[in-house]
Amino acid sequence: MTDTVARLSTAPDPVEPLRRSAGPIVVVRRWWRLLTSMRTALVLLFLLAVAAVPGSLLPQRSLNQSRVSAYYAEHPDLAPILDRLSMFDVFSSPWFAAIYLLLFVSLIGCVVPRTRMHFRAVRQPPPPVPSRLERLPQSATFERDLSPAAVADAATAALRRGRWRVVRRRVGTGGTRVDDDGTVELSAEKGYLREVGNLAFHGALVALLAGLAVGKLNGYEGSILVEEGSGFCNSFQQYDTYRNGPFAGAGDLTPLCADLDRFSTEYEDNLIPARFLAELTYTREIGGPASTYPLEVNSPLRTDGVRLYLTGHGYSPRFTITYPDGSELTDISAPFLPEEQTTLASTGALKLPDRPGAGAEDPQLAIEGFFVPTAANLGDNRLVSVDPRPLNPAVAIVVYQGSIGLDSGAPQNVFRLDQRQIDRGVLERVAAGNLLAGQSLELPDGTEIRFEGYKQWAALQLSHDPGQLTVLIASVVMLLGLLCSLVVRRRRLWLRCRPADPAAGGAATSRTVVNVGGLSRADSGSFDAEFAALVKKLVADSSGRN
Amino acid sequence: MAVNDSLAALSDSAFTASIVTYSVGVVGFAGEYAFGRRGRVARTSSEQTTVVDGGSNRTDTATVTTSGPGQRLGVVGLACTVLGAGLQIVSLVLRGVATDRVPWGNMFEFASGVVLVTVLSFLWLVWQAPRLRHVGVFVLIPGVFVLVYAGLKLYADAAPLVAALRSYWLVIHVAAAIIATGVFMLSFVVTVLYLVRQRYERGVIEAGSMPRPVAALGPRLPAAAVLDRLSYRTVAFAFPIWTFAVIAGAIWAESAWGRFWGWDPKETWALIAWLVYAGYLHARATAGWKGVKAARINLLGFFAMTFNFLIVNMVVSGLHSYSGLT
Ligand code: HEM
């Protein structure tokens, strides 16, 4: 069986080991072939799989910075070593990128030549009939009372009907043997789509990797907490946190402003959340026409290549401060972070702005608090939340007076007071108490702090990923290619129609011996059955004319 | 919406009944395996060897029909398998009706669905090739094991879904994941059998010594070549479905979490399993990797699937709020 006969795919040949004395060009070419070989593909696939494992088991900065800090605290010796190996940023580490790039290059290096090869194979006729058909994995022999040419005609028609590609060769006129005894040979092939599918799959994988890279380099993402009644615009300064690719500059941001009009939740009887709804009003240019959008989990706002998501929610307690001189600060609120997702008991801090008309010497006020949407009365002085719905909101607050330290320049956590200011004694605890809505707490200096109730806030995330559509299309092509490559079988069939009595000469014979041989990839299922059915059909067809 | 408690209870009873029925099936199949006329199964094996190796020149294709205790036990096993699958379907449908949602919303339901798919794909195989029936014992034993584990450790009361899971992508993505996992599980079983039989065949040829279990199980297993091909074809079936499940998950993540891919542990392990199975398909076409080495990759793939289901859901925390466990 010759190589061209058996070759049913464009898989690269195994690479032989390198000889010592090879010249530089040979060496480069060998390395290139090694990089694009099946074996390397196998190794790279495993390498990628193995490399992803630590990224899934160790905390990752991109997913949760605070877990990384916790890991540092728990393993003070190990963590720095792991960090130096990029173990907390696995998916953006140089070594992960290296595997990714190698795979990319290897894929291109394998897809391009294989595509050329397959293109050639499609245009070439199926290979000539091998000399010993009975050696093929599938073979059969039958006889018919027809001339070889007539048998070949019938078989050609039958195979073409079955969408086989058929080539007919008359022995002696460029066929495999020189003695013209009237023998006619047919070569047929089917299932080219398998290779097309396989190449589409690998090619689309290249496109997918490219799309991922484009998205990472040019995309950005920002998140922000927005209270009911306020809003934000798409700019890096406004976000609480943001991440941008190296090619995504502040000037490239799509203009978009959104206000949160109202936030609401619905719960099932057992208090699991059934629906979150953030009612938005947004404009796509400053001063432009405003539209509204009901933003929900699983249904982002998509506009102008950016997407706005609802990623979380919580409560902001609301206060009114009345100073002894009668001046007031109204509608003071700050988002509190849920400590418990089931009851939404939340903690946070308010760093109050200066009293209207206050001098530089006047002390500042700060409040640390614990908010519960539905307070249960336990009798003692503790606040406990029993329901995520705001049925009976209450806060426990501790009030501080002094210097908050905002002007020191050091960044502060908005959800907590700066403990160093307290330790240094410049921020002093002056009062504490539990308040239901409408109740107030009086400070020693006569200032009154009134708990007015709550607002809700929504965590919003705005994302832009220019590679996303490429990735989607590429993955659909991958899937279709994969299906073709796994479902379609490439197979070949050969017929040799030989006069039973060669001495009588080609045209005159009326009895023909037909040898049939078939070849398919052993893996691909039941070619035996198909071959048997084909032979049966060929027998039936060529006898039907009789 | 309220959960219909009586239907939910009925669903649980059907679940328990399916475990009992499958267990009876195990006994039936095991009986066939042990008491079946040695001749029959052995002949079946050798017959299949010639079919595979010899291609069209079959010599020994006479079907041997036997009756006897082994045969009858096998039929009992098969009947229990069908009945057990029916009970599982009833159990899942009742859960769906009781909660007014698709019955694949937590780990318990997922595990039950996976076993159902494994059993149904095995039944389909037996439909195609009835000689494989006696292998049923190796399909039902892990099936019963998984169901018992699910009932004891993963059980979650019939309940509606949290808001984040209310999406038709749940229906598509998780259904595809269940089908792929179920067929991968069958592939895993077949691959283990392949490795045993392969050891046995090599042992027979080399006339060397064999470990006890291999020597005991080997003679009655189908030929290694048959099992090898079967494990390929099950992966070839499940792999595109798994690919689709991952893509559907990415599309859902894009609309739920703001990015189609974020290296969440669950996503990462889905990719790892995908890469390993892609490696398996490659290995089957790579010189020097066919056979036993490729089979080991197949086992590794199912290990990744299991790890993703058990460890990642329950130990590693991520965004997937799916387990239904508290
Ligand atoms: C890097 C170089 C690569 C080469 C040279 C290569 C080559 C091949 C070849 C020749 C086949 C067909 C095997 C057959 O005839 O059955 C194949 C199949 C396949 N490849 Fe690759 N491949 C490469 C990379 C990849 C990568 C990175 C992936 C996926 C992550 C992949 C996934 C697959 C899959 C799933 C199949 C199965 C299709 C089938 O069995 O027909 N390949 N590859």
Side-chain angles (χ1 to χ4, degrees):
Chain A
M1 208 191 306
T2 60
D3 188 43
T4 51
V5 166
R7 182 144 202 150
L8 285 177
S9 86
T10 56
D13 295 324
V15 187
E16 310 97 57
L18 207 58
R19 262 177 297 118
R20 279 273 158 78
S21 55
I25 293 179
V26 176
V27 172
V28 169
R29 188 176 295 158
R30 280 278 171 79
W31 274 101
W32 175 247
R33 282 190 45 200
L34 194 67
L35 179 64
T36 57
S37 71
M38 291 286 282
R39 197 170 300 238
T40 306
L42 200 56
V43 170
L44 289 176
L45 285 174
F46 277 117
L47 225 53
L48 196 64
V50 171
V53 171
S56 73
L57 300 181
L58 289 169
Q60 298 294 299
R61 289 211 172 85
S62 60
L63 293 175
N64 197 329
Q65 171 69 46
S66 61
R67 281 230 187 84
V68 178
S69 313
Y71 193 88
Y72 255 92
E74 269 176 57
H75 308 273
D77 298 327
L78 188 58
I81 300 172
L82 291 180
D83 207 1
R84 210 161 316 136
L85 299 172
S86 308
M87 284 295 178
F88 303 123
D89 308 281
V90 166
F91 303 110
S92 50
S93 69
W95 48 270
F96 199 80
I99 299 176
Y100 179 100
L101 271 178
L102 269 180
L103 194 68
F104 191 75
V105 174
S106 164
L107 267 169
I108 292 178
C110 105
V111 168
V112 173
R114 287 179 57 204
T115 307
R116 215 182 307 129
M117 239 166 104
H118 187 57
F119 197 66
R120 223 178 295 139
V122 168
R123 285 187 308 173
Q124 262 170 10
V129 181
S131 54
R132 310 196 51 182
L133 281 175
E134 68 281 4
R135 287 245 192 116
L136 289 171
Q138 314 288 337
S139 63
T141 302
F142 60 91
E143 295 195 14
R144 285 274 65 94
D145 287 326
L146 277 176
S147 70
V151 173
D153 282 344
T156 304
L159 287 171
R160 291 226 166 107
R161 246 177 285 130
R163 295 196 291 117
W164 287 75
R165 180 169 173 204
V166 187
V167 170
R168 179 176 182 145
R169 293 186 181 86
R170 201 184 144 85
V171 174
T173 52
T176 47
R177 276 177 301 163
V178 276
D179 52 327
D180 184 2
D181 61 355
T183 299
V184 181
E185 294 182 337
L186 296 182
S187 307
E189 184 161 351
K190 193 176 172 177
Y192 293 90
L193 207 54
R194 177 199 175 90
E195 209 61 20
V196 173
N198 187 291
L199 291 169
F201 171 85
H202 289 85
L205 193 53
V206 173
L208 185 142
L209 293 177
L212 274 176
V214 166
K216 267 278 159 290
L217 295 176
N218 298 288
Y220 64 84
E221 188 178 285
S223 5
I224 185 168
L225 299 190
V226 179
E227 291 181 336
E228 284 173 310
S230 27
F232 78 103
C233 288
N234 184 19
S235 80
F236 288 147
Q237 294 94 328
Q238 293 208 6
Y239 290 122
D240 300 332
T241 59
Y242 71 91
R243 193 159 57 209
N244 60 326
F247 301 150
D252 306 327
L253 269 55
T254 311
L256 178 81
C257 291
D259 291 317
L260 177 62
D261 300 327
R262 219 172 83 79
F263 186 86
S264 52
T265 41
E266 286 168 26
Y267 289 89
E268 296 289 352
D269 298 340
N270 63 353
L271 296 185
I272 64 168
R275 183 168 186 230
F276 303 111
L277 174 66
E279 291 166 50
L280 293 185
T281 301
Y282 68 96
T283 55
R284 283 153 49 184
E285 56 205 284
I286 309 223
S291 334
T292 58
Y293 188 80
L295 187 65
E296 290 191 63
V297 177
N298 283 328
S299 122
L301 164 64
R302 296 171 194 274
T303 174
D304 291 332
V306 297
R307 292 121 46 209
L308 185 62
Y309 294 88
L310 174 61
T311 58
H313 73 115
Y315 293 103
S316 298
R318 219 152 53 80
F319 297 92
T320 300
I321 319 289
T322 311
Y323 290 97
D325 65 359
S327 60
E328 267 192 347
L329 286 175
T330 56
D331 202 19
I332 297 294
S333 67
F336 276 31
L337 283 186
E339 301 257 282
E340 274 179 60
Q341 283 304 330
T342 47
T343 64
L344 288 178
S346 318
T347 56
L350 290 98
K351 298 167 188 181
L352 299 190
D354 291 341
R355 174 173 62 87
E361 302 304 306
D362 280 25
Q364 296 171 304
L365 274 182
I367 302 174
E368 233 172 16
F370 177 65
F371 173 88
V372 297
T374 301
N377 194 349
L378 291 189
D380 57 5
N381 225 0
R382 278 189 310 131
L383 267 188
V384 174
S385 180
V386 292
D387 197 313
R389 293 170 294 181
L391 303 177
N392 181 25
V395 281
I397 53 172
V398 178
V399 184
Y400 293 86
Q401 221 165 18
S403 164
I404 301 172
L406 285 178
D407 41 7
S408 74
Q412 284 210 358
N413 185 332
V414 292
F415 300 105
R416 246 176 286 151
L417 298 185
D418 189 346
Q419 188 62 35
R420 285 166 308 181
Q421 299 291 98
I422 299 171
D423 293 342
R424 261 191 265 145
V426 293
L427 195 57
E428 250 181 293
R429 176 179 166 141
V430 290
N434 293 357
L435 305 175
L436 291 174
Q439 294 179 334
S440 46
L441 179 73
E442 199 174 300
L443 305 189
D445 69 357
T447 305
E448 190 187 72
I449 296 178
R450 205 173 127 84
F451 175 46
E452 300 283 5
Y454 65 92
K455 280 186 204 172
Q456 302 210 52
W457 55 259
L460 302 180
Q461 176 188 314
L462 189 138
S463 308
H464 172 64
D465 182 344
Q468 184 162 297
L469 189 64
T470 311
V471 170
L472 178 65
I473 294 171
S475 41
V476 171
V477 174
M478 268 174 72
L479 188 60
L480 295 178
L482 188 63
L483 282 172
C484 285
S485 129
L486 290 173
V487 171
V488 177
R489 279 165 295 133
R490 183 142 170 218
R491 52 242 195 248
R492 292 194 176 132
L493 197 73
W494 290 278
L495 268 79
R496 174 173 296 124
C497 312
R498 199 155 37 81
D501 175 15
T509 4
S510 58
R511 190 160 176 83
T512 302
V513 179
V514 186
N515 299 105
V516 193
L519 182 71
S520 165
R521 263 191 41 176
D523 264 347
S524 325
S526 46
F527 186 57
D528 332 4
E530 188 189 3
F531 182 80
L534 270 170
V535 170
K536 216 164 137 192
K537 193 165 155 45
L538 292 177
V539 172
D541 271 18
S542 47
S543 60
R545 300 274 187 88
N546 231 355
Chain B
M1 74 217 71
V3 171
N4 185 328
D5 289 325
S6 55
L7 284 186
L10 209 57
S11 159
D12 289 351
S13 310
F15 177 79
T16 312
S18 73
I19 294 182
V20 173
T21 313
Y22 283 146
S23 305
V24 176
V26 168
V27 175
F29 281 136
E32 177 183 35
Y33 206 85
F35 304 128
R37 288 236 304 270
R38 194 185 180 89
R40 176 184 172 264
V41 184
R43 234 173 302 165
T44 308
S45 310
S46 64
E47 177 192 321
Q48 289 176 343
T49 314
T50 57
V51 169
V52 170
D53 295 343
S56 57
N57 49 325
R58 308 169 191 221
T59 46
D60 178 27
T61 49
T63 35
V64 193
T65 47
T66 45
S67 56
Q71 167 89 359
R72 253 174 271 136
L73 282 171
V75 171
V76 169
L78 196 63
C80 286
T81 313
V82 173
L83 186 62
L87 284 166
Q88 267 202 289
I89 291 172
V90 169
S91 159
L92 287 172
V93 167
L94 285 178
R95 233 182 203 248
V97 175
T99 51
D100 196 22
R101 59 169 171 81
V102 289
W104 46 86
N106 55 46
M107 283 175 80
F108 168 69
E109 291 158 4
F110 189 99
S112 180
V114 165
V115 173
L116 178 63
V117 170
T118 307
V119 168
L120 288 180
S121 39
F122 166 72
L123 285 174
W124 188 82
L125 275 185
V126 174
W127 182 271
Q128 296 291 305
R131 320 171 271 207
L132 290 175
R133 187 183 65 203
H134 67 287
V135 170
V137 65
F138 302 108
V139 176
L140 285 195
I141 289 175
V144 168
F145 179 80
V146 172
L147 289 181
V148 170
Y149 182 84
L152 292 179
K153 299 281 184 195
L154 306 178
Y155 184 80
D157 282 325
L161 295 171
V162 296
L165 292 180
R166 290 186 191 183
S167 161
Y168 57 86
W169 284 109
L170 172 94
V171 180
I172 299 170
H173 164 66
V174 182
I178 288 177
I179 295 172
T181 311
V183 179
F184 279 141
M185 178 157 138
L186 184 65
S187 192
F188 172 81
V189 169
V190 170
T191 303
V192 171
L193 297 182
Y194 162 76
L195 287 172
V196 171
R197 174 72 191 190
Q198 160 75 21
R199 279 289 290 273
Y200 169 77
E201 286 181 7
R202 222 177 31 201
V204 168
I205 291 163
E206 291 167 4
S209 64
M210 253 179 287
R212 267 274 203 85
V214 172
L217 295 178
R220 297 182 180 198
L221 288 173
V226 171
L227 293 170
D228 186 38
R229 200 155 77 160
L230 200 54
S231 65
Y232 168 77
R233 295 185 63 189
T234 38
V235 170
F237 181 82
F239 186 76
I241 300 177
W242 184 241
T243 309
F244 174 73
V246 174
I247 293 173
I251 294 174
W252 186 13
E254 194 273 340
S255 66
W257 296 331
R259 79 291 181 293
F260 62 87
W261 194 267
W263 299 107
D264 183 70
K266 192 98 183 141
E267 291 167 357
T268 305
W269 276 91
L271 177 71
I272 291 173
W274 188 80
L275 289 170
V276 173
Y277 280 115
Y280 169 77
L281 291 178
H282 266 208
R284 301 222 16 141
T286 306
W289 277 83
K290 300 174 188 178
V292 174
K293 272 195 204 166
R296 296 211 179 109
I297 301 177
N298 188 332
L299 301 189
L300 206 61
F302 195 67
F303 167 78
M305 297 293 289
T306 313
F307 189 90
N308 198 11
F309 179 62
L310 288 180
I311 311 294
V312 175
N313 272 352
M314 302 202 287
V315 182
V316 184
S317 66
L319 288 169
H320 279 77
S321 53
Y322 182 74
S323 72
L325 302 175
T326 45

